[in-house]
Amino acid sequence: MRVLIVEDEPYLAEALQTGLRHAAITADVTLDGDDALEHLGVNDYDIVVLDRDIPGTHGDEVCAVVAREHPTVRVLMLTAAATLRDKVAGFESGADDYLTKPFALEELVVRLRSLARRPAATAPPVLEHQDVRLDPYRREVYRAGRYVQLTRKQFAVLELLMRARGGVVSAEELLEKVWDENADPFTSAPRVTISTLRKRLGDPDLIATVSGVGYRLARPVPTP
């Protein structure tokens, strides 16, 4: 999951970013509505955590743009305005959920994961490929019945590959979905993470390299 935090209080924005990262959620931060729209035009987000009263383009208008131009992106309105009228205005702008300040980080994480499930309602709750089972909500991976302990990045890379269902995932897409916008585009982090992930999963190798393109799940070896 990749989230854009739009919050004009820098300390709160930084605290949210740090808290979400600890929950294995990639998060970028912007402090005003104009910058938020620029981020949305460049990056691929799953959810926008949007403070309603922000400098530049108002949060309601940002929300309306997301609903109109990025229909697969969910919006969680985050604001100190707790009246019914404010909530109605937020939902009418296109928000999918509403959380008032102050709030517990744990509740925000639960709401984000709930929102993230909505676009993929037809996807199975547990992903499977050959003898590997990945539960994205319990954050557990098993191979041939054996629990595999993964880092947050390894888990996110494996989940992305399994959701691609055999399709090729480029290094650029891995950077886009698993790392944040500050990642060096020339970094070897995806290649290194793939390498360590292969070691954790063991033999036979589950991940195939498509030279010059990216990575995909290996096809099953036919039995003689």
Side-chain angles (χ1 to χ4, degrees), residues 63-212:
C63 187
V65 171
V66 173
R68 182 173 63 249
E69 299 181 10
H70 308 277
T72 62
V73 179
R74 302 297 184 177
V75 176
L76 189 153
M77 198 75 89
L78 186 65
T79 178
T83 68
L84 178 59
R85 179 177 297 178
D86 290 319
K87 291 182 179 181
V88 169
F91 283 120
E92 287 180 342
S93 299
D96 300 283
D97 201 355
Y98 205 107
L99 187 59
T100 56
K101 302 175 184 177
F103 61 93
L105 178 65
E106 291 80 1
E107 182 179 6
L108 175 62
V109 170
V110 169
R111 286 174 181 261
L112 290 176
R113 288 179 174 159
S114 177
L115 286 174
R117 289 196 294 267
R118 293 183 188 179
T122 58
V126 175
L127 304 175
E128 298 188 23
H129 178 76
Q130 297 186 40
D131 60 350
V132 174
R133 299 179 73 255
L134 182 148
D135 188 328
Y137 308 120
R138 291 182 177 155
R139 306 201 65 77
E140 294 176 346
V141 173
Y142 292 86
R143 181 157 201 190
R146 173 183 62 88
Y147 175 70
V148 181
Q149 185 173 358
L150 300 179
T151 66
R152 291 195 297 270
K153 296 298 186 188
Q154 291 167 348
F155 187 97
V157 167
L158 179 59
E159 181 179 2
L160 193 59
L161 289 170
M162 294 187 74
R163 289 194 182 280
R165 299 184 180 279
V168 176
V169 178
S170 67
E172 292 78 9
E173 188 175 354
L174 287 174
L175 277 174
E176 174 79 13
K177 285 291 190 179
V178 178
W179 282 263
D180 60 29
E181 63 179 3
N182 297 315
D184 182 350
F186 302 104
T187 182
S188 62
R191 177 176 55 81
V192 172
T193 301
I194 289 284
S195 177
T196 57
L197 176 59
R198 282 172 164 148
K199 292 178 182 178
R200 291 286 182 94
L201 292 171
D203 295 324
D205 193 358
L206 183 75
I207 302 170
T209 300
V210 182
S211 182

